[in-house]
Amino acid sequence: MSLDDRVAGISCREVLAQLGDYQDGGLAADARAALEAHVGACANCAAFGGAYGGLVARLRERLTPRDLDAERAARLAARLAQDE
Amino acid sequence: MPDQADDRELMIRAAAGDRPAFAALVDRYGGRVFHLARALVRDDATAEDVLQDTFLAAWRTAASYRGDGAVASWLYAIARHAAHRRARRADQIATDDRSLEALGAAAGWGQPDVLDVVARGEDRAQLEAAMAALPDDDRLALWLHHVLDQTFDDTARVLGCSVAAVKSRLHRARLALAASLRQGGDHVAR
């Protein structure tokens, strides 16, 4: 199977191009429906779309910023206090 | 996520020389600025320099904050510039000029192991290594939007580009991240 194969009226190449907008909620309703119909019938795009969305979720979950540790915060406060 | 109206109130007071108000902003955003800086430079010591540069510049120029964007994105823009000044040019990773199709293939489209990237992304160390291998602006866009919850508008303000360009960059960056995870964090943009 290649990116040029058409399933449910659109190609895998078009799905790849639109996947970002789909993830971000930026696709128009008809384009969204076409993409979902394709993904529902194309195993490669279904797996890829799942990985793409899952990776975005992992970014949010795993890279949560932590507070400054006490020593680093103290050095920053001291540096700012020097600037009168 | 911190309240933006409260941030603006603190900034107004800081611009008038209110140190406790500025200290409250430092408490609120210090960790986020440090971790953003750490994503942009190669070691903790330089990231701490960027952290200090950022808040020193923010304190000195608080009066220039005009309230036309979130305080957070104003701080992140300062941090971006500070990181660029501190980072050695040799450390920077150039923009990835592969086609979308090539990125998709590297990210695993059509490959039986494509879902492995999600499992690898469960591990913070593997995820950070894969992020570190991305081009600088890709990494910054992912951090701003997906980790620091910046809107498309605020992300565009920090990056100095249009919202459409941010969306396009994010799509390419997600593909490049998947490719990087599949390759174990090796540099993918060469």
Side-chain angles (χ1 to χ4, degrees), chain B:
Chain B
M1 199 176 167
D3 179 77
Q4 290 192 14
D6 192 27
D7 284 353
R8 288 197 175 90
E9 173 61 26
L10 289 171
M11 272 304 297
I12 290 167
R13 288 167 50 195
D18 184 335
R19 282 188 176 271
F22 190 71
L25 285 170
V26 172
D27 282 347
R28 189 170 288 182
Y29 287 106
R32 290 178 174 85
V33 168
F34 176 75
H35 285 94
L36 179 65
R38 188 64 188 81
L40 296 175
V41 300
R42 298 297 177 212
D43 58 79
D44 284 352
T46 309
E48 184 164 342
D49 288 339
V50 171
L51 171 74
Q52 295 193 2
D53 291 349
T54 299
F55 282 106
L56 206 51
W59 171 247
R60 289 172 177 169
T61 62
S64 72
Y65 172 71
R66 294 193 300 272
D68 53 353
V71 172
S73 62
W74 182 71
L75 287 170
Y76 299 150
I78 295 172
R80 181 194 183 205
H81 290 300
H84 280 182
R85 280 195 300 274
R86 290 277 182 180
R88 285 179 295 132
R89 196 163 191 83
D91 283 347
Q92 296 175 347
I93 301 174
T95 300
D96 189 338
D97 59 2
R98 285 179 292 179
S99 70
L100 204 59
E101 289 79 8
L103 271 176
W109 186 91
Q111 299 300 313
D113 67 345
V114 63
L115 285 167
D116 289 356
V117 299
V118 182
R120 290 177 190 168
E122 294 281 353
D123 182 293
R124 182 172 179 132
Q126 281 197 61
L127 196 52
E128 286 180 336
M131 287 281 276
L134 298 184
D136 292 350
D137 283 347
D138 285 2
R139 192 177 337 115
L140 180 58
L142 290 173
W143 261 89
L144 289 168
H145 186 65
H146 289 308
V147 183
L148 298 173
D149 287 327
Q150 295 295 282
T151 64
F152 290 119
D153 282 341
D154 284 333
T155 302
R157 196 169 288 118
V158 177
L159 289 173
C161 64
S162 68
V163 167
V166 164
K167 290 180 176 179
S168 174
R169 178 166 295 285
L170 280 169
H171 183 37
R172 293 181 58 85
R174 293 165 190 150
L175 295 174
L177 178 62
S180 181
L181 273 169
R182 290 185 76 233
Q183 295 173 13
D186 290 339
H187 283 216
V188 293
R190 303 300 171 114

